[in-house]
Amino acid sequence: MSAAKVRKAVFPAAGLGTRFLPATKAQPKEMLPVVDKPIIQYGVEEALHSGIRNIVIVTGRGKSAIEDHFDVSFELEHHLESRHKLELLAKVRQVSDLIDVSYVRQKEALGLGHAVNRAQELVGQEPFAVVLPDDVIDAETPCLRQLMDVYEFFNAPVLAVMEVPKESISSYGCIDAEPVSYNGSRNKVYRIRDLVEKPKPSEAPSNLAIIGRYILTPDIFECIGKVQPGAGGEIQLTDALRLQLRSRPIYAVKFEGKRYDAGDKLGFLQATVELALKREDLGAAFREYLKGLNLR
Ligand code: UTP
């Protein structure tokens, strides 16, 4: 049976962003700009470039700036139009014109699994993507597209993973997995044997860390409903996947590209510097500026 098409992407954005306080006290971290776009827009554009235009954003209290960002701003558009600032007008309209966004609230930040579960009604009985907006991924083929290709091949849930130094594994979900053949190679796709959330380095089954991109199937909702709060007292998506693994195979892809954890101060700075250097309009001047810094 061929795999059903992935048409929707869920963006959990109801977390408290404590790593970025005080900036996130009155402003969602998903709206912090990397160069000139809010963090969340990178993920939304990645979904669009992967062929997904139905976006479901899970929000919470204090997150209305996200809704405003993807909404039409008549006042701003009128202002730009009347002053013939058409290039800026196109930039403002670019993404919101192409996507269909719905919102659902997570009243309390009870964990990533809980946030995903809030999207159940909007997702319905079809496969869907999950994008953690904090993870900004720079890749030639969008990371979600890489996952969707593997999902279509195996007709099974797929997670994005990357190798991390063993001492950092306790910040991530970690997989125990065996490589499988895919597109003539055996070092890109894995069949998962087990998963564990935030293991101690000495207990981690591998150095393969789960990052913020998933293709899931609707049976995950039932699994989320069954799991008890895990690491940090939160309903963990990793624990629900572990349960789902008992009834079906799940795969992981070592994606090609560079991932920045923009929800973390250092990762945010790295994303800002590297993405600014790649920009046609800014890169050359910014490079000159950086060269002039007396770095030792
Ligand atoms: P994080 O743990 O990175 O985000 O969750 P956080 O909790 O907002 O940040 P810190 O750790 O306090 O700094 C990953 C993603 O899952 C969402 C977050 O908004 C973020 O995009 N999330 C997390 C929810 O939507 N609900 C939750 O209950 C937890």
Side-chain angles (χ1 to χ4, degrees):
M1 200 176 64
S2 72
K5 203 167 152 30
V6 177
R7 302 184 308 135
K8 297 176 181 171
V10 174
F11 286 66
L16 299 177
T18 53
R19 282 172 294 159
F20 237 115
L21 283 168
T24 47
K25 187 179 167 202
Q27 164 185 223
K29 106 179 129 177
E30 296 78 11
M31 288 302 293
L32 296 174
V34 169
V35 189
D36 56 2
K37 276 190 288 196
I39 291 177
I40 192 168
Q41 189 169 333
Y42 287 89
V44 169
E45 288 179 2
E46 182 187 321
L48 252 180
H49 296 147
S50 305
I52 297 177
R53 55 178 301 278
N54 283 297
I55 306 294
V56 176
I57 304 183
V58 184
T59 65
R61 230 170 62 81
K63 301 278 182 169
S64 55
I66 299 177
E67 296 179 32
D68 292 341
H69 181 70
F70 291 112
D71 201 357
V72 176
S73 170
F74 287 112
E75 200 184 339
L76 175 65
E77 292 190 12
H78 175 72
H79 176 90
L80 295 174
E81 210 160 11
S82 62
R83 283 164 180 74
H84 302 290
K85 296 192 169 168
L86 300 183
E87 231 173 86
L88 281 178
L89 182 64
K91 272 193 188 144
V92 165
R93 282 183 177 159
Q94 201 176 24
V95 177
S96 38
D97 270 1
L98 298 174
I99 56 174
D100 193 347
V101 203
S102 333
Y103 298 91
V104 62
R105 298 278 277 205
Q106 184 192 25
K107 283 192 201 132
E108 233 186 304
L110 296 177
L112 177 60
H114 184 264
V116 170
N117 218 21
R118 296 292 302 131
Q120 179 170 12
E121 264 183 43
L122 289 168
V123 166
Q125 283 305 310
E126 46 180 292
F128 62 104
V130 171
V131 175
L132 303 196
D134 291 13
D135 280 352
V136 172
I137 301 179
D138 184 28
E140 215 162 284
T141 304
C143 180
L144 265 191
R145 185 66 255 172
Q146 296 178 40
L147 261 57
M148 285 158 73
D149 290 343
V150 174
Y151 157 79
E152 282 163 17
F153 186 83
F154 290 104
N155 193 5
V158 182
L159 325 179
V161 293
M162 68 178 205
E163 285 174 3
V164 299
K166 202 91 192 216
E167 63 275 15
S168 320
I169 197 75
S170 48
S171 305
Y172 299 87
C174 173
I175 61 167
D176 176 11
E178 58 187 311
V180 292
S181 291
Y182 174 77
N183 254 354
S185 110
R186 275 184 80 83
N187 57 8
K188 183 177 157 64
V189 178
Y190 299 82
R191 183 167 167 167
I192 297 178
R193 280 191 290 246
D194 200 3
L195 313 95
V196 47
E197 184 62 30
K198 300 190 171 62
K200 287 190 193 135
S202 58
E203 288 165 13
S206 74
N207 64 344
L208 291 170
I210 304 170
I211 60 109
R213 299 290 185 272
Y214 307 75
I215 304 296
L216 301 178
T217 48
D219 49 311
I220 193 68
F221 293 120
E222 202 187 320
C223 300
I224 297 173
K226 284 185 186 157
V227 300
Q228 296 299 316
E234 300 191 333
I235 305 281
Q236 297 291 353
L237 183 58
T238 308
D239 293 340
L241 286 161
R242 191 158 193 247
L243 194 58
Q244 190 184 31
L245 194 57
R246 290 191 199 158
S247 56
R248 67 184 304 162
I250 302 178
Y251 293 85
V253 180
K254 210 158 68 181
F255 69 97
E256 279 163 31
K258 182 149 188 193
R259 170 251 187 194
Y260 303 95
D261 180 3
D264 167 80
K265 286 173 211 173
L266 185 59
F268 179 86
L269 290 170
Q270 289 163 345
T272 304
V273 170
E274 293 193 33
L275 296 179
L277 283 171
K278 282 187 138 191
R279 284 275 296 255
E280 259 177 40
D281 55 342
L282 281 171
F286 189 46
R287 186 175 308 275
E288 282 312 302
Y289 163 73
L290 291 177
K291 276 191 200 156
L293 293 178
N294 189 10
L295 299 177
R296 330 202 94 244

